[in-house]
């Protein structure tokens, strides 16, 4: 038996409900590996769960994503060995905010040489999200006009650069002039500040009046109705998050009135439910990193004992790029 420093919650609410505790870690069970975690990824879903908006049992850990080094393998694990560097995005549920953890071996992938643990932790969950969005939910084609909301954020930057690499014209939105600059640096052809009242008109103007084939909307409450207006006839609105709060209720008939639109609300986990698909999608992500279509853009680093500050920074929308948590 060894121990770990891990974030634990017994109640849900503001960032101070996250407590750093020392917990016991048993030897890895059959099918598990024990990781010494070297970098943890922050994802906005961590905020929804900490707030109680996405319910968790209590007490609970938090965090979906981390990179680390295999220190021990359980019975039956033959494809990993001590010393391997690995990353995961959902190793049997939350609990990634920790410096040591046992996880199912089939939920991790080896990090290719040339990609640091920090970059892997910063990118993996977010790039796996961008992967299904550009490949499966709407397969982006050369010449498509694509709108990406929160384009300066973690997923937003990756999604914008990947859609651009696939040959799309990418129009990003973001919450300030500085973030619009970050969105342009991440591959957006045009960036619109969606805190301005006329952001929908600006986006439509940027499309030359043609509107978008697909709008990727992770902001929801503040953007969803505008997203419907930015979408071309027969185009798709992809609602995949709710950073500003849940989207307003709509009558299905509105999709007809706005141009026979398609609306979907997908999630990364069902897209990676079986090991073979997960590993193939991970390879697609690492290939995209090698080609430059996906890049790690780390906006801030926090230590595990500063995780409340990491959440506060995310909720304050104070910086662009991904947040990484270090042990
Ligand atoms: N469906 C899935 O499977 C899946 C998987 C991963 C992530 N997601 C979603 O993708 C989105 C991005 O995730 P991320 O981890 O990369 O986070 P993030 O983009 O780094 O942070 C959220 C972004 O939302 C924008 N935002 C707009 N209104 C906001 C508000 N009221 N409060 C806070 N932020 C607001 C902020 O950008 P501005 O300041 O520029 O507005 C901020 O950059 C999240 O909504 C997340 O839930 C979905």
């Amino acid at each position: 038996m060894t121990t770990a420093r891990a974030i634990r919650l017994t109640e849900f609410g503001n960032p101070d409900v996250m407590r750093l505790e020392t917990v016991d870690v048993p030897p890895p069970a059959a099918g598990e590996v024990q990781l010494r975690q070297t970098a943890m990824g922050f994802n906005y879903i961590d905020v929804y769960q900490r707030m109680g908006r996405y319910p968790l049992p209590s007490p609970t850990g938090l965090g979906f994503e981390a990179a680390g080094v295999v220190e021990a393998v359980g019975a039956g694990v033959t494809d990993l060995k001590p010393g391997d560097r690995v990353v995961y995005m959902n190793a049997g549920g939350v609990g990634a905010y920790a410096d040591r953890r046992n996880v199912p071996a089939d939920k991790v992938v080896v990090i290719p040489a040339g990609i640091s643990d920090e970059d892997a932790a910063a990118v993996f969950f977010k790039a796996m999200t961008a992967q299904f969005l550009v490949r499966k939910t709407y397969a982006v084609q050369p010449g498509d006009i694509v709108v990406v909301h929160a384009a300066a954020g973690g997923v937003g930057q990756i999604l914008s650069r990947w859609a651009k690499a696939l040959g799309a014209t990418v129009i990003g939105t973001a919450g300030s002039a500085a973030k619009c600059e970050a969105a342009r640096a991440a591959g957006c052809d045009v960036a619109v500040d969606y805190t301005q009242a006329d952001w929908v008109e600006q986006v439509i103007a940027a499309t030359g009046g043609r509107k978008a084939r697909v709008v990727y909307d992770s902001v929801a409450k503040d953007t969803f109705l505008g997203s419907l207006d930015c979408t071309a006839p027969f185009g798709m609105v992809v609602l995949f998050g709710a950073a500003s709060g849940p989207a307003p209720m709509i009558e299905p008939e509105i999709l007809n009135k706005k141009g026979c639109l398609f609306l979907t609300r997908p999630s990364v986990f069902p897209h990676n439910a079986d090991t073979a698909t997960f590993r193939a999608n991970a390879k697609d992500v690492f290939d995209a990193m090698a080609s430059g279509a996906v890049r790690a853009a780390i906006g801030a680093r926090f230590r595990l004992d500063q995780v409340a500050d990491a959440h506060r920074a995310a909720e304050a929308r104070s910086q662009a790029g991904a947040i990484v948590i270090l042990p």
Side-chain angles (χ1 to χ4, degrees), residues 10-77:
T10 53
E11 56 183 327
F12 301 95
N14 69 40
D16 295 321
V17 299
M18 295 181 288
R19 301 287 170 86
L20 186 59
E21 296 180 4
T22 299
V23 299
D24 289 335
V25 183
E32 288 185 340
V33 290
Q34 185 166 113
L35 304 183
R36 177 174 55 80
Q37 302 203 137
T38 50
M40 294 140 254
F42 163 85
N43 292 283
Y44 213 82
I45 190 172
D46 307 343
V47 171
Y48 307 145
Q49 292 186 315
R50 189 209 74 222
M51 292 167 76
R53 207 197 284 171
Y54 289 3
L56 288 175
S58 174
T60 180
L62 199 68
F64 273 109
E65 172 183 45
V69 179
V70 174
E71 294 230 311
V73 302
V77 177

Side-chain angles (χ1 to χ4, degrees), residues 42-48 53-54 122 125-126 128-130 132-133 149-158 173-176 179-180 193-195 217-220 222-223 239-245 265-271 313-323:
F42 163 85
N43 292 283
Y44 213 82
I45 190 172
D46 307 343
V47 171
Y48 307 145
R53 207 197 284 171
Y54 289 3
F125 188 120
K126 299 168 191 69
M128 291 290 277
T129 301
F132 81 79
L133 291 171
H149 287 310
V155 174
Q157 289 201 23
I158 294 168
T173 65
S176 66
K179 285 193 169 185
C180 284
D193 182 341
Y194 56 10
T195 62
D217 187 345
S218 64
V219 176
D222 294 348
T223 48
L239 199 56
F240 71 100
S244 66
R265 201 313 183 185
S267 168
V268 66
F269 300 131
H271 280 91
E315 289 177 271
R317 302 157 72 174
S318 56
Q319 93 276 306
I323 291 174

